[in-house]
Amino acid sequence: IYFDVGLDSKNEFRFRIGQSKIPFGFENLQSSQNRLTLDRNDAINSAFRNERDLGVFFYWAPEKIRERFSMLTKEGYKGSGDYGVFGLGVFNGQTANVPDANNKKHVVARLTYPFEIGSQIFEAGLQGYTGEYTIDSDDISTGVTFNDSQTYIDQRFGVSAILYPKPFGIQAEYNFGKGPEFDKITNSITVQDLHGGYLMFNAKLPIKNQLVYPFAKWQYYN
């Protein structure tokens, strides 16, 4: 549950307060009805379970671009929805429906813009977050060693590039970062590097009274 507080008559500036989606990644922000693939990609979706957390998020977008975000969803181009051209948030960092475990907040920022290029729309985005994540004792196997606080650095930076299917499109995202990971050599949890992303080719093809969306997707996550 969350609510939006508009700061102007056009809601170009607004705060979103409550448990809502973290503005990190294009596919993470897509609703299930807009997303083509059954599952979100592992590389970016692994950042936040259920894509949500409790926090306060600021979003800004000009009225014209808010209308474009809405059109890309309503007219079947598989948009992400309106999460602003610029987003900035402070949140718990323990993911959805989990209380804060370390009294330290995560910070996230996202910048994205859907450009009109002739009849096409191309959206480019950058996003990143930083914080500290605490692992629940119930999630640690017996015999595995960990630091005293069970708290580890959790940081990522990602890029997004989307050519909307008019009628053919390309969607690609990649992220780099570091976070807690099991080290089988030392039988312990340590902070390690991670990276990965995906590339998808898709199309929006009207056939009589139906819409067909063929796609092919490749993903990689280390």
Side-chain angles (χ1 to χ4, degrees), residues 4-15 59-63 66 82 84:
D4 283 358
V5 179
L7 304 182
D8 62 289
S9 60
K10 296 180 180 179
N11 280 334
E12 293 183 337
F13 299 86
R14 59 195 165 100
F15 282 97
Y59 293 114
W60 167 78
E63 182 180 24
R66 293 201 68 193
D82 183 1

Side-chain angles (χ1 to χ4, degrees), residues 7 68 74 77 114 119 156 174 186 208:
L7 304 182
R68 188 173 300 170
K74 291 180 178 178
Y77 293 108
S119 62
R156 297 198 189 194
Y174 209 90
T186 62
K208 294 185 178 180

Side-chain angles (χ1 to χ4, degrees):
I1 184 171
Y2 63 84
F3 60 92
D4 283 358
V5 179
L7 304 182
D8 62 289
S9 60
K10 296 180 180 179
N11 280 334
E12 293 183 337
F13 299 86
R14 59 195 165 100
F15 282 97
R16 178 162 291 183
I17 303 169
Q19 181 167 275
S20 64
K21 289 188 175 179
I22 307 300
F24 180 76
F26 176 88
E27 193 179 63
N28 268 12
L29 295 174
Q30 283 183 307
S31 69
S32 298
Q33 65 180 345
N34 289 327
R35 190 180 68 251
L36 274 176
T37 50
L38 295 178
D39 295 316
R40 293 176 174 87
N41 71 98
D42 297 332
I44 296 173
N45 189 237
S46 58
F48 302 112
R49 178 171 52 198
N50 296 326
E51 302 84 51
R52 295 166 172 83
D53 206 340
L54 186 67
V56 178
F57 306 91
F58 169 77
Y59 293 114
W60 167 78
E63 182 180 24
K64 178 180 178 181
I65 302 305
R66 293 201 68 193
E67 292 173 353
R68 188 173 300 170
F69 283 138
S70 178
M71 177 276 294
L72 289 168
T73 299
K74 291 180 178 178
E75 296 188 14
Y77 293 108
K78 305 300 180 182
S80 66
D82 183 1
Y83 290 88
V85 167
F86 174 72
L88 178 66
V90 178
F91 57 102
N92 281 345
Q94 292 298 126
T95 71
N97 302 320
V98 179
D100 191 14
N102 54 33
N103 203 31
K104 298 177 181 179
K105 305 306 177 190
H106 275 53
V107 178
V108 64
R110 179 173 184 257
L111 181 66
T112 190
Y113 196 92
F115 298 90
E116 281 190 329
I117 304 174
S119 62
Q120 299 283 351
I121 295 180
F122 173 74
E123 183 173 342
L126 299 172
Q127 52 260 307
Y129 74 84
T130 183
E132 295 184 25
Y133 180 80
T134 298
I135 302 176
D136 191 297
S137 298
D138 293 337
D139 294 331
I140 302 176
S141 300
T142 302
V144 175
T145 59
F146 48 87
N147 64 26
D148 292 338
S149 64
Q150 300 172 209
T151 300
Y152 297 84
I153 292 172
D154 179 26
Q155 298 175 331
R156 297 198 189 194
F157 172 77
V159 295
S160 305
I162 297 89
L163 179 67
Y164 286 93
K166 300 183 71 178
F168 300 101
I170 302 173
Q171 186 173 314
E173 296 190 89
Y174 209 90
N175 77 161
F176 308 83
K178 59 178 60 177
E181 185 177 334
F182 175 65
D183 184 345
K184 64 182 180 180
I185 303 299
T186 62
N187 195 41
S188 63
I189 297 173
T190 61
V191 173
Q192 298 185 47
D193 294 334
L194 59 89
H195 63 99
Y198 70 94
L199 173 65
M200 182 173 72
F201 298 93
N202 62 343
K204 176 189 176 189
L205 305 177
I207 299 177
K208 294 185 178 180
N209 294 325
Q210 305 295 326
L211 285 173
V212 178
Y213 292 90
F215 69 89
K217 186 176 186 180
W218 170 89
Q219 67 169 336
Y220 170 80
Y221 181 41
N222 184 344

